[in-house]
Each structure stands twice: as C-alpha cells, then as structure tokens.
C-alpha cells in the first residue's frame, strides 16, 4: 500500500492547553499506525508547546511561513524560527490565506519555494472557488496556482513537497466533492505537474469537509494519498476514526 498522510489544520482554534491535550490524544492514537503519517498544525502561538508535549510521536507544523529570515515583517514567522523550535512542517497557500488575506499565487509560491529550499516539509494547498468549478475553469485555476510554484522550483526541492487539493467550496461547508470530481481533479494535477516539471507529482491530499462517514470512500480514490482536515480534526474521536480508516 502506498504511504498515507493525515494532517490536522486547527486554524484559529484552541488555547495552548487545549492544543496540547488534543495533540497528546492524537499522538497516543497514532502509535499503532503502520502506514499513515499524522501531523497537526496548531495556531502559531501554540506550536512550540504542542511540539514539546508530543516529541517525535506526532508531526507538528505551522499554518503558514514567510520567505524572509528576519526583519520588519509584522505578524510573520520565519523558517529559522520554525527550525529552532523543532517544527516538522508548514502549510502554505491555504484557501483562507488566499481568499481572506489576499495572498496571491506569486506570494504563496515564494513562501513555498523558500520552505522547500530550506528542507522543510511543505503542504502546498491549491483549490478553486465555486464559480470556477461551475464555469468549467477548475483546471485553469489549479494550473495557475501550480505554475507559479513550478516556475521557481529546482528538482532538489520536490522531495519534501505534499500537495493538498482543497476545493474552496468544500472547506468547512459540509459539502464534499464527489469521488468522481476528486479523481478527475487529482488526475489533472498529477498530469499537469509531470508536464510542467518532467517529474512525478508529489503525494496529493484531498481536503474539504472530510469526516469519518465520507473518508472511507475518498481514501480509495486513485491518486489520493491522504487528507488535510479542519473541522473533524478538532474532535479527538473523529480524527482518531480517520486514522483507523486510513489504515484499512
Ligand atoms: C481545511 O481547513 O483545510 C479544511 C479542509 O477544513 P474542513 O475539513 O473543515 O473542510
């Protein structure tokens, strides 16, 4: 079986104590997993305490990272800061960063490229809004997001990259893409990546209202290597169930 991944994006939720408690539960549950790598991305303030609490049992990452090392960049965090705190990965280009905070394809690509250059595992999120899906523009949107990154990358960067396909209309809405939509879209991403770079596509996760009652179907879809999970990752029982499904 190919390797699977399950990542929790806690967004702007949970206090430090709550993050540590939940991460410890995830860490305990993940001990029996054989084929699934599990990680959590707490709010930045809680990342260090969470990492200290779980050690190497669970990957801990940030929800974003900046490409400069230090300086007058209020509100941002740098890769050296993450490394000093023993952080395992970062997310970049989450749709909330793109759509609420106005991050462009170019800015997301620069954040991602720097993280990869520095050897940090990076979950690069891409996805289309509902109007793009309905007007048949999904592939154009995804290609634009991907090309901004591939134009900056060298081959040495690919090893630490994970792509997360997250249709914006499915995030936190309870609306899940159909298995057909997921299959077609992951196939497009993989082909486009190969066409652009000449190399096989990194693992692709699906994200968007993943729950225990839909994950068994989703994880069976070709070219789905796991999930990036928001809402269901805030509940120990639901996320633990996703871990179990991932191993089936
Ligand atoms: C996410 O935040 O990346 C996400 C997929 O959220 P949810 O699972 O709540 O849709």
């Amino acid at each position: 079986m190919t390797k699977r991944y399950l990542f929790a994006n806690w967004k702007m939720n949970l206090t430090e104590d709550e993050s540590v408690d939940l991460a410890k539960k995830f860490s305990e549950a993940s001990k029996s997993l054989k084929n699934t790598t599990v990680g959590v991305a707490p709010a930045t303030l809680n990342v260090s305490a969470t990492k200290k609490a779980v050690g190497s049992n669970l990957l801990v990452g940030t929800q974003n990272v900046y490409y400069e090392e230090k300086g007058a960049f209020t509100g941002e965090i740098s890769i050296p800061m993450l490394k000093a705190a023993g952080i395992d990965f970062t997310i970049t280009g989450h749709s909330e960063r793109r759509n609420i905070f106005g991050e462009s394809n170019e800015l997301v690509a620069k954040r991602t490229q720097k993280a990869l250059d520095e050897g940090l595992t990076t979950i690069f999120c891409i996805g289309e809004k509902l109007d793009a899906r309905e007007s048949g523009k999904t592939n154009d949107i995804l290609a634009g997001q991907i090309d901004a990154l591939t134009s900056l990358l060298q081959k040495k960067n690919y090893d630490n990259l994970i792509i997360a396909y997250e249709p914006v209309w499915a995030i936190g809405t309870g609306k899940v893409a159909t298995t057909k939509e997921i299959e077609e879209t992951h196939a497009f991403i993989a082909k486009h990546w190969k066409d652009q770079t000449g190399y096989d596509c990194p693992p692709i996760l699906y994200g968007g209202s993943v729950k225990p009652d839909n994950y068994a179907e989703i994880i069976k879809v070709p070219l789905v290597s796991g999930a990036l999970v928001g809402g269901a990752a805030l509940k120990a029982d639901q996320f633990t169930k996703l871990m179990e499904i991932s191993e089936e």
Side-chain angles (χ1 to χ4, degrees), residues 105 126 137-150 188-189 192 196:
N105 286 352
I126 56 175
K137 299 227 167 65
T138 297
N139 292 354
D140 294 342
I141 298 293
L142 298 176
Q145 294 169 341
I146 291 168
D147 295 352
L149 177 62
T150 55
F188 169 76
I189 293 166
H192 187 75
Q196 290 301 109

Side-chain angles (χ1 to χ4, degrees), residues 120-237:
L120 194 64
T121 296
T122 305
I123 303 172
F124 169 63
C125 302
I126 56 175
E128 81 289 357
K129 292 189 194 165
L130 189 58
D131 58 345
R133 169 64 62 180
E134 287 176 346
S135 60
K137 299 227 167 65
T138 297
N139 292 354
D140 294 342
I141 298 293
L142 298 176
Q145 294 169 341
I146 291 168
D147 295 352
L149 177 62
T150 55
S151 65
L152 298 181
L153 285 183
Q154 309 285 326
K155 162 62 187 142
K156 69 180 172 67
N157 298 129
Y158 298 170
D159 293 346
N160 297 317
L161 181 59
I162 297 170
I163 294 173
Y165 167 58
E166 301 204 300
V168 179
W169 46 272
I171 297 181
T173 57
K175 229 177 156 182
V176 193
T178 63
T179 50
K180 184 168 178 285
E181 286 168 331
I182 297 171
E183 181 169 356
E184 286 172 357
T185 311
H186 281 223
F188 169 76
I189 293 166
K191 183 178 182 313
H192 187 75
W193 183 274
K194 180 124 198 191
D195 290 347
Q196 290 301 109
T197 65
Y199 291 95
D200 286 342
C201 188
I204 310 170
L205 315 183
Y206 170 77
S209 297
V210 166
K211 303 269 182 301
D213 64 4
N214 57 36
Y215 196 47
E217 288 296 310
I218 292 171
I219 193 61
K220 280 192 226 125
V221 174
L223 294 172
V224 172
S225 292
L228 179 58
V229 186
L234 289 167
K235 302 193 175 86
D237 58 337

